[in-house]
Structure formats: structure tokens, C-alpha cells
Amino acid sequence: VPIPSAIESTGDGVVAKLVSTGSLYLLETAGLFFPLKDGLLQVSDATTIDLSIASGGLRVLLAVLAVSAAAAALSSKPVWERLFIVASGFPIAILCGVFRVTAGCLLHIGVSGWLGDVLLFEVAGWVTLAAAWCLLLTERELLSRLLIPPPAREVVPVLRGVELTSH
């Protein structure tokens, strides 16, 4: 079922803005400052990267949510923990998008423009989903270590020493 265009454009814009902001912050933290104009990142004299396309937008968000729903469905944890795993798909998708764009930009300027483009546009989906799956497994492991299961309750019979007989 296709997503209505109004929802898709709004969702793409929100996700792209969050991923762009995070990527620019990481790049600037690394000491790399690039001019940004109208969503285009100028990484060299001849090369610009459209951050709204490079971020993956709503497509990546929905794919990561599907992965988090699969991780929750495969879990035997209580319902609230499984819902938490599904809800964590949103920040994980943004985090994966930030790393995807940042790595693509770093490869673009540090190694080769071709390699950066391949990462951003060809293999990024696979890498993003693999990273999301790893983050979800890590989250699940952390939750199992942080949350202590309640102790098993001992069942005590109400009538001790009384035999029930039928007439």
C-alpha cells in the first residue's frame, strides 16, 4: 500500500532534517566544515551531496521499523519490552542515517568520490539495515542485563495435610 504523498513528503522532510543535522554535527566535530545551501552539502568544488536523498528519509525509517518489529516478534520477552523494542526503531533509524551520511561524506572527501557515492546510494540500505539489526540486538542484550526478572513464586496449598476424598 503506497503512503499518501502528503505524509511521505512531510516524513521525508523530518527524517532528512534530523539526519542532516546529526551528520553536520559529527562532521563539524571532526573538524570538517562544509557549506550547506538548500539541503545540498558542498564537499568539494565539483561535488555536492543532496542530504535529503542521501539520508534515505522515510524509506529507511520504515525499513528499520520493520526490522525492529521483526526483532520484537522473535522475542519471548513481555509485551511492554517488545513494544519498547519497536518504538526504539525511530531513534535507531535516525542514528543509522546519521552514520550513513557521515561515513559517505568522509569516504567522499578522504578516499574517493566514487566510493562515497557507492556507500551513500548503492550499499547504504544493506549497511543501514545490518547496523540497525546489530543495534537492536545490543539493545535487547542490555535490556536483559538491566531488567531483573521477578523471582518465581512458590505455590502454597491452602489446605495442608487435608486429603480430599470423593463420596
Side-chain angles (χ1 to χ4, degrees):
V1 177
I3 299 172
S5 62
I7 294 173
E8 185 176 10
S9 63
T10 303
D12 266 347
V14 170
V15 172
K17 179 71 173 165
L18 290 169
V19 169
S20 301
T21 303
S23 299
L24 286 174
Y25 178 77
L26 280 180
L27 289 168
E28 289 175 3
T29 301
L32 303 168
F33 298 95
F34 301 109
L36 178 68
K37 185 177 181 183
D38 298 327
L40 299 174
L41 188 67
Q42 185 80 34
V43 293
S44 69
D45 291 337
T47 307
T48 58
I49 297 175
D50 187 350
L51 292 178
S52 63
I53 295 172
S55 71
L58 199 57
R59 292 171 299 142
V60 170
L61 177 65
L62 292 176
V64 172
L65 283 175
V67 168
S68 65
L74 295 174
S75 176
S76 60
K77 302 288 184 182
V79 173
W80 73 268
E81 282 186 49
R82 289 187 276 167
L83 290 174
F84 184 81
I85 289 172
V86 172
S88 69
F90 289 98
I92 286 175
I94 301 301
L95 185 66
C96 288
V98 167
F99 287 138
R100 168 187 175 171
V101 171
T102 304
C105 289
L106 290 175
L107 281 175
H108 215 288
I109 60 167
V111 179
S112 138
W114 175 82
L115 192 58
D117 285 343
V118 166
L119 176 69
L120 280 172
F121 303 111
E122 303 294 330
V123 298
W126 295 104
V127 172
T128 301
L129 291 179
W133 186 255
C134 291
L135 287 171
L136 286 165
L137 290 178
T138 303
E139 173 192 15
R140 193 170 153 205
E141 182 63 28
L142 285 173
L143 281 175
S144 69
R145 291 176 188 242
L146 289 174
L147 303 173
I148 301 169
R153 295 183 179 177
E154 182 181 338
V155 177
V156 179
V158 176
L159 302 172
R160 250 182 227 214
V162 176
E163 289 185 33
L164 297 176
T165 59
S166 60
H167 297 318

Short mmCIF file of all heavy atoms in Angstrom, two decimals, residues 106-163:
data_model
loop_
_atom_site.label_atom_id
_atom_site.label_comp_id
_atom_site.label_asym_id
_atom_site.label_seq_id
_atom_site.Cartn_x
_atom_site.Cartn_y
_atom_site.Cartn_z
N LEU A 106 32.68 11.30 4.55
CA LEU A 106 34.09 11.09 4.87
C LEU A 106 34.78 10.28 3.77
O LEU A 106 35.92 10.60 3.39
CB LEU A 106 34.23 10.39 6.22
CG LEU A 106 33.88 11.22 7.44
CD1 LEU A 106 33.93 10.38 8.71
CD2 LEU A 106 34.79 12.43 7.56
N LEU A 107 34.12 9.25 3.26
CA LEU A 107 34.70 8.49 2.15
C LEU A 107 34.81 9.36 0.90
O LEU A 107 35.78 9.25 0.15
CB LEU A 107 33.84 7.26 1.84
CG LEU A 107 34.02 6.07 2.76
CD1 LEU A 107 33.02 4.98 2.41
CD2 LEU A 107 35.43 5.52 2.68
N HIS A 108 33.82 10.20 0.69
CA HIS A 108 33.80 11.06 -0.49
C HIS A 108 35.01 11.99 -0.50
O HIS A 108 35.65 12.17 -1.55
CB HIS A 108 32.51 11.88 -0.50
CG HIS A 108 31.97 12.12 -1.86
ND1 HIS A 108 32.54 12.99 -2.75
CD2 HIS A 108 30.89 11.59 -2.48
CE1 HIS A 108 31.85 13.00 -3.85
NE2 HIS A 108 30.83 12.16 -3.71
N ILE A 109 35.33 12.58 0.64
CA ILE A 109 36.44 13.54 0.66
C ILE A 109 37.77 12.90 1.00
O ILE A 109 38.81 13.40 0.60
CB ILE A 109 36.17 14.69 1.66
CG1 ILE A 109 36.00 14.15 3.06
CG2 ILE A 109 34.99 15.50 1.24
CD1 ILE A 109 36.04 15.21 4.12
N GLY A 110 37.77 11.77 1.72
CA GLY A 110 39.02 11.18 2.16
C GLY A 110 39.58 10.12 1.25
O GLY A 110 40.79 9.97 1.13
N VAL A 111 38.71 9.36 0.59
CA VAL A 111 39.19 8.24 -0.21
C VAL A 111 38.89 8.49 -1.68
O VAL A 111 39.80 8.67 -2.49
CB VAL A 111 38.55 6.91 0.26
CG1 VAL A 111 39.02 5.75 -0.60
CG2 VAL A 111 38.85 6.65 1.72
N SER A 112 37.61 8.50 -2.02
CA SER A 112 37.24 8.67 -3.42
C SER A 112 35.78 9.08 -3.52
O SER A 112 34.94 8.59 -2.75
CB SER A 112 37.49 7.34 -4.15
OG SER A 112 36.49 7.00 -5.04
N GLY A 113 35.48 9.95 -4.43
CA GLY A 113 34.10 10.37 -4.64
C GLY A 113 33.24 9.20 -5.08
O GLY A 113 32.09 9.08 -4.68
N TRP A 114 33.81 8.33 -5.90
CA TRP A 114 33.07 7.17 -6.38
C TRP A 114 32.69 6.25 -5.22
O TRP A 114 31.56 5.80 -5.12
CB TRP A 114 33.92 6.41 -7.40
CG TRP A 114 33.27 5.14 -7.85
CD1 TRP A 114 32.31 5.01 -8.80
CD2 TRP A 114 33.52 3.84 -7.33
NE1 TRP A 114 31.93 3.69 -8.91
CE2 TRP A 114 32.67 2.94 -8.02
CE3 TRP A 114 34.36 3.33 -6.37
CZ2 TRP A 114 32.65 1.58 -7.76
CZ3 TRP A 114 34.34 1.97 -6.11
CH2 TRP A 114 33.50 1.12 -6.80
N LEU A 115 33.65 5.99 -4.32
CA LEU A 115 33.39 5.11 -3.18
C LEU A 115 32.36 5.73 -2.24
O LEU A 115 31.49 5.04 -1.71
CB LEU A 115 34.70 4.84 -2.43
CG LEU A 115 34.66 3.73 -1.39
CD1 LEU A 115 34.25 2.41 -2.02
CD2 LEU A 115 36.02 3.59 -0.73
N GLY A 116 32.43 7.04 -2.05
CA GLY A 116 31.43 7.72 -1.23
C GLY A 116 30.04 7.60 -1.82
O GLY A 116 29.06 7.36 -1.11
N ASP A 117 29.95 7.77 -3.15
CA ASP A 117 28.65 7.62 -3.82
C ASP A 117 28.13 6.19 -3.73
O ASP A 117 26.94 5.97 -3.55
CB ASP A 117 28.75 8.03 -5.29
CG ASP A 117 28.81 9.54 -5.46
OD1 ASP A 117 28.45 10.26 -4.50
OD2 ASP A 117 29.22 9.99 -6.54
N VAL A 118 29.03 5.22 -3.86
CA VAL A 118 28.61 3.81 -3.76
C VAL A 118 28.05 3.55 -2.37
O VAL A 118 26.99 2.92 -2.23
CB VAL A 118 29.79 2.86 -4.07
CG1 VAL A 118 29.48 1.44 -3.64
CG2 VAL A 118 30.11 2.89 -5.55
N LEU A 119 28.72 4.05 -1.33
CA LEU A 119 28.22 3.83 0.03
C LEU A 119 26.89 4.54 0.24
O LEU A 119 25.96 3.96 0.78
CB LEU A 119 29.23 4.30 1.08
CG LEU A 119 28.70 4.18 2.51
CD1 LEU A 119 28.56 2.72 2.91
CD2 LEU A 119 29.54 4.92 3.48
N LEU A 120 26.81 5.79 -0.19
CA LEU A 120 25.59 6.57 0.05
C LEU A 120 24.38 6.05 -0.72
O LEU A 120 23.27 6.08 -0.21
CB LEU A 120 25.82 8.04 -0.32
CG LEU A 120 26.54 8.88 0.71
CD1 LEU A 120 26.87 10.25 0.14
CD2 LEU A 120 25.73 9.02 1.97
N PHE A 121 24.60 5.59 -1.94
CA PHE A 121 23.44 5.31 -2.78
C PHE A 121 23.28 3.86 -3.21
O PHE A 121 22.20 3.45 -3.60
CB PHE A 121 23.49 6.20 -4.03
CG PHE A 121 23.53 7.66 -3.69
CD1 PHE A 121 24.67 8.40 -3.92
CD2 PHE A 121 22.44 8.28 -3.11
CE1 PHE A 121 24.72 9.75 -3.59
CE2 PHE A 121 22.48 9.62 -2.78
CZ PHE A 121 23.62 10.36 -3.02
N GLU A 122 24.33 3.05 -3.16
CA GLU A 122 24.22 1.68 -3.64
C GLU A 122 24.08 0.67 -2.51
O GLU A 122 23.16 -0.12 -2.48
CB GLU A 122 25.44 1.31 -4.50
CG GLU A 122 25.67 2.22 -5.69
CD GLU A 122 24.55 2.12 -6.72
OE1 GLU A 122 23.94 1.04 -6.84
OE2 GLU A 122 24.28 3.13 -7.38
N VAL A 123 25.02 0.68 -1.56
CA VAL A 123 25.02 -0.34 -0.49
C VAL A 123 24.50 0.20 0.84
O VAL A 123 24.44 -0.53 1.81
CB VAL A 123 26.44 -0.93 -0.29
CG1 VAL A 123 26.92 -1.64 -1.52
CG2 VAL A 123 27.42 0.12 0.15
N ALA A 124 24.13 1.44 0.86
CA ALA A 124 23.72 2.07 2.12
C ALA A 124 22.52 1.40 2.75
O ALA A 124 22.45 1.26 3.97
CB ALA A 124 23.44 3.55 1.90
N GLY A 125 21.58 0.98 1.96
CA GLY A 125 20.40 0.33 2.50
C GLY A 125 20.74 -0.95 3.25
O GLY A 125 20.27 -1.20 4.35
N TRP A 126 21.61 -1.75 2.64
CA TRP A 126 22.02 -3.01 3.28
C TRP A 126 22.81 -2.73 4.55
O TRP A 126 22.61 -3.38 5.58
CB TRP A 126 22.83 -3.86 2.31
CG TRP A 126 22.02 -4.31 1.14
CD1 TRP A 126 22.07 -3.80 -0.12
CD2 TRP A 126 21.01 -5.32 1.13
NE1 TRP A 126 21.16 -4.45 -0.92
CE2 TRP A 126 20.50 -5.39 -0.17
CE3 TRP A 126 20.49 -6.17 2.10
CZ2 TRP A 126 19.49 -6.27 -0.53
CZ3 TRP A 126 19.50 -7.06 1.74
CH2 TRP A 126 19.01 -7.10 0.44
N VAL A 127 23.72 -1.79 4.46
CA VAL A 127 24.55 -1.46 5.62
C VAL A 127 23.69 -0.88 6.74
O VAL A 127 23.86 -1.20 7.91
CB VAL A 127 25.68 -0.49 5.21
CG1 VAL A 127 26.44 0.03 6.41
CG2 VAL A 127 26.63 -1.16 4.24
N THR A 128 22.74 -0.04 6.37
CA THR A 128 21.86 0.59 7.36
C THR A 128 21.03 -0.47 8.08
O THR A 128 20.90 -0.44 9.31
CB THR A 128 20.94 1.62 6.69
OG1 THR A 128 21.75 2.60 6.05
CG2 THR A 128 20.03 2.29 7.68
N LEU A 129 20.47 -1.42 7.34
CA LEU A 129 19.65 -2.44 7.98
C LEU A 129 20.49 -3.38 8.84
O LEU A 129 20.06 -3.80 9.92
CB LEU A 129 18.87 -3.22 6.93
CG LEU A 129 17.76 -2.43 6.24
CD1 LEU A 129 17.05 -3.29 5.20
CD2 LEU A 129 16.77 -1.90 7.25
N ALA A 130 21.70 -3.70 8.39
CA ALA A 130 22.58 -4.54 9.21
C ALA A 130 22.97 -3.82 10.49
O ALA A 130 22.99 -4.41 11.58
CB ALA A 130 23.82 -4.93 8.40
N ALA A 131 23.28 -2.53 10.38
CA ALA A 131 23.62 -1.74 11.57
C ALA A 131 22.42 -1.65 12.51
O ALA A 131 22.58 -1.75 13.74
CB ALA A 131 24.10 -0.35 11.16
N ALA A 132 21.23 -1.46 11.96
CA ALA A 132 20.03 -1.39 12.79
C ALA A 132 19.80 -2.71 13.52
O ALA A 132 19.47 -2.73 14.71
CB ALA A 132 18.82 -1.04 11.93
N TRP A 133 19.99 -3.82 12.82
CA TRP A 133 19.80 -5.13 13.45
C TRP A 133 20.80 -5.31 14.59
O TRP A 133 20.44 -5.78 15.67
CB TRP A 133 19.95 -6.23 12.41
CG TRP A 133 19.64 -7.59 12.95
CD1 TRP A 133 20.53 -8.57 13.25
CD2 TRP A 133 18.36 -8.12 13.27
NE1 TRP A 133 19.87 -9.66 13.73
CE2 TRP A 133 18.54 -9.42 13.76
CE3 TRP A 133 17.07 -7.61 13.20
CZ2 TRP A 133 17.48 -10.22 14.17
CZ3 TRP A 133 16.02 -8.41 13.62
CH2 TRP A 133 16.22 -9.70 14.09
N CYS A 134 22.06 -4.93 14.37
CA CYS A 134 23.08 -5.03 15.42
C CYS A 134 22.73 -4.15 16.62
O CYS A 134 22.89 -4.57 17.77
CB CYS A 134 24.45 -4.67 14.88
SG CYS A 134 25.10 -5.87 13.72
N LEU A 135 22.26 -2.94 16.35
CA LEU A 135 21.87 -2.06 17.45
C LEU A 135 20.67 -2.62 18.22
O LEU A 135 20.61 -2.52 19.45
CB LEU A 135 21.56 -0.66 16.93
CG LEU A 135 22.76 0.18 16.51
CD1 LEU A 135 22.32 1.45 15.80
CD2 LEU A 135 23.61 0.51 17.72
N LEU A 136 19.73 -3.22 17.51
CA LEU A 136 18.58 -3.82 18.18
C LEU A 136 18.99 -5.01 19.03
O LEU A 136 18.48 -5.20 20.14
CB LEU A 136 17.52 -4.22 17.16
CG LEU A 136 16.73 -3.07 16.56
CD1 LEU A 136 15.98 -3.52 15.31
CD2 LEU A 136 15.76 -2.51 17.58
N LEU A 137 19.90 -5.83 18.54
CA LEU A 137 20.38 -6.96 19.34
C LEU A 137 21.14 -6.47 20.57
O LEU A 137 21.00 -7.04 21.66
CB LEU A 137 21.27 -7.87 18.49
CG LEU A 137 20.56 -8.66 17.40
CD1 LEU A 137 21.56 -9.48 16.60
CD2 LEU A 137 19.49 -9.56 17.98
N THR A 138 21.92 -5.41 20.40
CA THR A 138 22.63 -4.82 21.53
C THR A 138 21.65 -4.28 22.55
O THR A 138 21.81 -4.48 23.76
CB THR A 138 23.57 -3.70 21.05
OG1 THR A 138 24.47 -4.25 20.08
CG2 THR A 138 24.34 -3.09 22.19
N GLU A 139 20.61 -3.61 22.07
CA GLU A 139 19.59 -3.07 22.97
C GLU A 139 18.89 -4.20 23.73
O GLU A 139 18.67 -4.10 24.94
CB GLU A 139 18.56 -2.28 22.16
CG GLU A 139 17.39 -1.82 22.98
CD GLU A 139 16.26 -1.30 22.13
OE1 GLU A 139 16.22 -1.54 20.92
OE2 GLU A 139 15.37 -0.65 22.72
N ARG A 140 18.58 -5.25 23.03
CA ARG A 140 17.91 -6.39 23.67
C ARG A 140 18.79 -7.02 24.75
O ARG A 140 18.33 -7.37 25.83
CB ARG A 140 17.56 -7.42 22.59
CG ARG A 140 16.63 -8.45 23.04
CD ARG A 140 16.14 -9.26 21.86
NE ARG A 140 15.80 -10.57 22.37
CZ ARG A 140 15.79 -11.66 21.66
NH1 ARG A 140 16.09 -11.61 20.39
NH2 ARG A 140 15.46 -12.80 22.19
N GLU A 141 20.08 -7.13 24.46
CA GLU A 141 21.02 -7.68 25.44
C GLU A 141 21.14 -6.76 26.65
O GLU A 141 21.15 -7.21 27.80
CB GLU A 141 22.39 -7.90 24.79
CG GLU A 141 23.41 -8.50 25.70
CD GLU A 141 23.06 -9.91 26.19
OE1 GLU A 141 22.35 -10.64 25.48
OE2 GLU A 141 23.52 -10.26 27.29
N LEU A 142 21.22 -5.46 26.40
CA LEU A 142 21.29 -4.51 27.52
C LEU A 142 20.03 -4.56 28.37
O LEU A 142 20.10 -4.50 29.61
CB LEU A 142 21.51 -3.09 26.99
CG LEU A 142 22.91 -2.76 26.50
CD1 LEU A 142 22.94 -1.38 25.85
CD2 LEU A 142 23.90 -2.84 27.63
N LEU A 143 18.88 -4.66 27.72
CA LEU A 143 17.63 -4.76 28.48
C LEU A 143 17.60 -6.02 29.34
O LEU A 143 17.15 -5.99 30.48
CB LEU A 143 16.43 -4.75 27.54
CG LEU A 143 16.00 -3.40 27.00
CD1 LEU A 143 14.86 -3.56 25.99
CD2 LEU A 143 15.57 -2.48 28.11
N SER A 144 18.09 -7.13 28.80
CA SER A 144 18.07 -8.37 29.58
C SER A 144 19.02 -8.29 30.76
O SER A 144 18.81 -8.95 31.77
CB SER A 144 18.41 -9.57 28.69
OG SER A 144 19.75 -9.53 28.31
N ARG A 145 20.08 -7.48 30.66
CA ARG A 145 21.00 -7.32 31.78
C ARG A 145 20.52 -6.29 32.80
O ARG A 145 20.83 -6.39 33.97
CB ARG A 145 22.39 -6.93 31.28
CG ARG A 145 23.06 -8.06 30.54
CD ARG A 145 24.39 -7.62 29.96
NE ARG A 145 24.93 -8.64 29.12
CZ ARG A 145 26.08 -9.25 29.36
NH1 ARG A 145 26.81 -8.91 30.40
NH2 ARG A 145 26.52 -10.17 28.54
N LEU A 146 19.80 -5.29 32.33
CA LEU A 146 19.32 -4.24 33.23
C LEU A 146 18.05 -4.63 33.98
O LEU A 146 17.86 -4.22 35.12
CB LEU A 146 19.06 -2.96 32.44
CG LEU A 146 20.29 -2.22 31.93
CD1 LEU A 146 19.86 -1.06 31.05
CD2 LEU A 146 21.13 -1.73 33.07
N LEU A 147 17.19 -5.37 33.32
CA LEU A 147 15.91 -5.71 33.91
C LEU A 147 15.99 -7.10 34.54
O LEU A 147 16.19 -8.09 33.84
CB LEU A 147 14.81 -5.67 32.86
CG LEU A 147 14.66 -4.32 32.16
CD1 LEU A 147 13.67 -4.43 31.03
CD2 LEU A 147 14.26 -3.25 33.15
N ILE A 148 15.84 -7.16 35.83
CA ILE A 148 15.92 -8.43 36.55
C ILE A 148 14.52 -9.04 36.57
O ILE A 148 13.56 -8.40 37.01
CB ILE A 148 16.44 -8.21 37.99
CG1 ILE A 148 17.80 -7.56 37.93
CG2 ILE A 148 16.45 -9.50 38.76
CD1 ILE A 148 18.30 -7.05 39.27
N PRO A 149 14.40 -10.30 36.14
CA PRO A 149 13.07 -10.91 36.16
C PRO A 149 12.62 -11.15 37.60
O PRO A 149 13.44 -11.40 38.48
CB PRO A 149 13.26 -12.23 35.41
CG PRO A 149 14.71 -12.50 35.46
CD PRO A 149 15.41 -11.18 35.60
N PRO A 150 11.32 -11.05 37.85
CA PRO A 150 10.83 -11.28 39.22
C PRO A 150 11.07 -12.74 39.61
O PRO A 150 11.04 -13.63 38.77
CB PRO A 150 9.35 -10.95 39.14
CG PRO A 150 9.00 -11.07 37.70
CD PRO A 150 10.24 -10.76 36.92
N PRO A 151 11.29 -12.98 40.90
CA PRO A 151 11.52 -14.37 41.33
C PRO A 151 10.25 -15.21 41.15
O PRO A 151 9.14 -14.69 41.25
CB PRO A 151 11.91 -14.23 42.80
CG PRO A 151 11.35 -12.92 43.23
CD PRO A 151 11.34 -12.04 42.01
N ALA A 152 10.47 -16.49 40.91
CA ALA A 152 9.33 -17.39 40.76
C ALA A 152 8.64 -17.53 42.10
O ALA A 152 9.28 -17.63 43.14
CB ALA A 152 9.80 -18.74 40.25
N ARG A 153 7.34 -17.52 42.07
CA ARG A 153 6.57 -17.62 43.31
C ARG A 153 6.31 -19.09 43.63
O ARG A 153 6.00 -19.88 42.75
CB ARG A 153 5.25 -16.89 43.17
CG ARG A 153 5.44 -15.41 43.02
CD ARG A 153 4.12 -14.72 42.95
NE ARG A 153 4.33 -13.28 42.81
CZ ARG A 153 3.36 -12.43 42.67
NH1 ARG A 153 2.12 -12.84 42.65
NH2 ARG A 153 3.62 -11.15 42.56
N GLU A 154 6.43 -19.39 44.89
CA GLU A 154 6.16 -20.76 45.33
C GLU A 154 4.66 -20.90 45.53
O GLU A 154 4.02 -20.05 46.16
CB GLU A 154 6.89 -21.03 46.63
CG GLU A 154 6.70 -22.43 47.14
CD GLU A 154 7.42 -22.65 48.44
OE1 GLU A 154 8.38 -21.92 48.74
OE2 GLU A 154 7.01 -23.56 49.17
N VAL A 155 4.12 -21.97 45.01
CA VAL A 155 2.70 -22.22 45.16
C VAL A 155 2.50 -22.98 46.47
O VAL A 155 3.07 -24.04 46.69
CB VAL A 155 2.15 -23.05 43.98
CG1 VAL A 155 0.68 -23.36 44.17
CG2 VAL A 155 2.39 -22.30 42.69
N VAL A 156 1.73 -22.40 47.36
CA VAL A 156 1.47 -23.00 48.66
C VAL A 156 0.02 -23.49 48.68
O VAL A 156 -0.89 -22.71 48.43
CB VAL A 156 1.70 -21.97 49.80
CG1 VAL A 156 1.42 -22.59 51.15
CG2 VAL A 156 3.10 -21.41 49.73
N PRO A 157 -0.19 -24.78 48.99
CA PRO A 157 -1.57 -25.26 49.04
C PRO A 157 -2.32 -24.60 50.20
O PRO A 157 -1.75 -24.32 51.25
CB PRO A 157 -1.44 -26.76 49.24
CG PRO A 157 -0.03 -27.00 49.66
CD PRO A 157 0.77 -25.81 49.26
N VAL A 158 -3.60 -24.37 50.00
CA VAL A 158 -4.42 -23.70 51.01
C VAL A 158 -4.69 -24.63 52.19
O VAL A 158 -4.60 -24.24 53.34
CB VAL A 158 -5.73 -23.19 50.38
CG1 VAL A 158 -6.63 -22.59 51.44
CG2 VAL A 158 -5.44 -22.22 49.27
N LEU A 159 -5.02 -25.85 51.90
CA LEU A 159 -5.34 -26.82 52.95
C LEU A 159 -4.21 -27.83 53.06
O LEU A 159 -4.14 -28.78 52.29
CB LEU A 159 -6.66 -27.52 52.63
CG LEU A 159 -7.88 -26.61 52.47
CD1 LEU A 159 -9.06 -27.40 51.97
CD2 LEU A 159 -8.21 -25.93 53.78
N ARG A 160 -3.32 -27.63 54.01
CA ARG A 160 -2.21 -28.56 54.19
C ARG A 160 -2.63 -29.75 55.03
O ARG A 160 -3.28 -29.61 56.06
CB ARG A 160 -1.08 -27.85 54.94
CG ARG A 160 0.09 -27.61 54.06
CD ARG A 160 1.16 -26.96 54.84
NE ARG A 160 1.61 -25.87 53.99
CZ ARG A 160 2.83 -25.45 53.92
NH1 ARG A 160 3.73 -25.95 54.71
NH2 ARG A 160 3.14 -24.52 53.11
N GLY A 161 -2.23 -30.91 54.61
CA GLY A 161 -2.49 -32.11 55.38
C GLY A 161 -3.90 -32.62 55.30
O GLY A 161 -4.26 -33.59 55.98
N VAL A 162 -4.75 -32.00 54.54
CA VAL A 162 -6.14 -32.45 54.41
C VAL A 162 -6.27 -33.19 53.09
O VAL A 162 -5.89 -32.68 52.06
CB VAL A 162 -7.11 -31.25 54.46
CG1 VAL A 162 -8.54 -31.71 54.24
CG2 VAL A 162 -6.96 -30.48 55.73
N GLU A 163 -6.78 -34.39 53.19
CA GLU A 163 -7.00 -35.18 51.98
C GLU A 163 -8.39 -34.94 51.45
O GLU A 163 -9.35 -34.89 52.23
CB GLU A 163 -6.83 -36.67 52.26
CG GLU A 163 -5.40 -37.05 52.52
CD GLU A 163 -5.26 -38.57 52.66
OE1 GLU A 163 -6.02 -39.30 51.99
OE2 GLU A 163 -4.42 -38.97 53.44
#
